[in-house]
Amino acid sequence: MVTGGSGGMGIETIKRFIEAGVTVTATDLKDEDLEPLRKEFGIECIAGDLSSKSGVDDFIAKAGTDFDIWVHAAGVTGDKGDPLTMSEEAWEDALNIDFMSGVRMARHLCPPMIDRGWGRVVFVTSENVAQPYPEETVYNSAKSALLSHAKSIAMAHSDKGLLVNCIAPAFIETPMTDGMMEKRKEEKGCSFDEAVESFLEEERPYLVMKRRGKVEEVAPVIVFLCSELSSFVTGSNWRIDGGAVGSINV
């Protein structure tokens, strides 16, 4: 199961799983966004709103829980602004989509994996869990909560065959960061490439590779963490960030 399947990271992950012989089901909010996946990969796609308990329950009623692997790539950047002035709605949206969707889906998908004695879960967090940016406080907090929850599940259940890990990408070429750069382009009155260049210089000084990452550089790590090659890896958070986080990863 790949949630957020129609996003750039989701699509590349699905492609890599199929190449590895895995049968994939994908979900995202809108059915029309999933149609290209049906056409390209011939996989089952089920639309669902994972931002509420009722939405998750409705989705699970359609999709079932018979999955050995679950990659949770659903998420939004959320509203931005001063940490002290973010609205209740901004907090609720970010926490429901970026954090509680993972909590609610885990209640359904993880117990059957535990019962079968084998399961792999990968949550997509962010560089922001290690290096929060003040104007992205709702996103920082939601993704940090997701990381903590993933670690808690791993500590509680990995001895039963359920391995739970996270990946923490930074500034990857996806529709999400495209939107960020389009907005920056308009604000600065510059080209898209200039917006990216100025963002790297002004906002991501530790991203030493001086470019956006590619989904092709993220998906293989996800697939590795879901394979038998990672059978002694659990409770970890793998940075795929081009050096964007300035601290040592310990």
Side-chain angles (χ1 to χ4, degrees), residues 75-100 125-126 128-129 131-147:
V76 294
T77 56
D79 288 350
K80 295 178 174 59
D82 189 304
L84 299 178
T85 62
M86 302 307 296
S87 69
E88 289 288 321
E89 292 78 12
W91 279 104
E92 289 171 3
D93 286 347
L95 289 170
N96 274 319
I97 297 170
D98 290 335
F99 172 51
M100 287 305 298
T125 62
S126 169
N128 295 46
V129 303
Q131 188 162 278
Y133 300 98
E135 71 280 4
E136 300 176 16
T137 184
V138 296
Y139 183 73
N140 301 338
S141 301
K143 288 295 188 178
S144 295
L146 184 64
L147 174 60

Side-chain angles (χ1 to χ4, degrees), residues 7 18 28-29 33 40 47 70 74 89 118 129 147 188 208 223:
I18 291 172
D28 219 311
L29 181 60
D33 292 337
E40 182 175 357
W70 166 38
E89 292 78 12
W118 197 97
V129 303
L147 174 60
K188 288 186 170 289
V208 293
V223 174

Side-chain angles (χ1 to χ4, degrees), residues 56-180:
V56 170
D57 290 345
D58 289 346
F59 171 74
I60 291 295
K62 299 173 187 175
T65 60
D66 190 21
F67 302 100
D68 296 311
I69 294 169
W70 166 38
V71 176
H72 190 58
V76 294
T77 56
D79 288 350
K80 295 178 174 59
D82 189 304
L84 299 178
T85 62
M86 302 307 296
S87 69
E88 289 288 321
E89 292 78 12
W91 279 104
E92 289 171 3
D93 286 347
L95 289 170
N96 274 319
I97 297 170
D98 290 335
F99 172 51
M100 287 305 298
S101 63
V103 172
R104 290 164 177 149
M105 288 287 286
R107 291 173 184 160
H108 291 285
L109 298 184
C110 290
M113 296 180 189
I114 294 168
D115 291 342
R116 292 190 294 267
W118 197 97
R120 297 288 188 271
V121 177
V122 174
F123 292 103
V124 177
T125 62
S126 169
E127 61 172 310
N128 295 46
V129 303
Q131 188 162 278
Y133 300 98
E135 71 280 4
E136 300 176 16
T137 184
V138 296
Y139 183 73
N140 301 338
S141 301
K143 288 295 188 178
S144 295
L146 184 64
L147 174 60
S148 181
H149 187 58
K151 181 68 171 180
S152 298
I153 299 171
M155 293 179 72
H157 297 293
S158 289
D159 63 337
K160 307 175 186 74
L162 175 66
L163 305 187
V164 182
N165 292 287
C166 297
I167 63 160
F171 204 35
I172 307 299
E173 288 185 18
T174 64
M176 182 183 292
T177 59
D178 283 348
M180 291 169 56

Side-chain angles (χ1 to χ4, degrees), residues 126-133 136 168-172 199-213 238-249:
S126 169
E127 61 172 310
N128 295 46
V129 303
Q131 188 162 278
Y133 300 98
E136 300 176 16
F171 204 35
I172 307 299
F199 182 82
L200 287 167
E201 183 177 345
E202 297 169 15
E203 305 293 341
R204 297 296 185 270
Y206 297 118
L207 209 165
V208 293
M209 298 183 74
K210 301 301 181 186
R211 64 172 176 85
R212 289 198 292 172
W238 286 52
R239 294 181 188 165
I240 311 169
D241 64 7
V245 176
S247 64
I248 296 172
N249 192 10

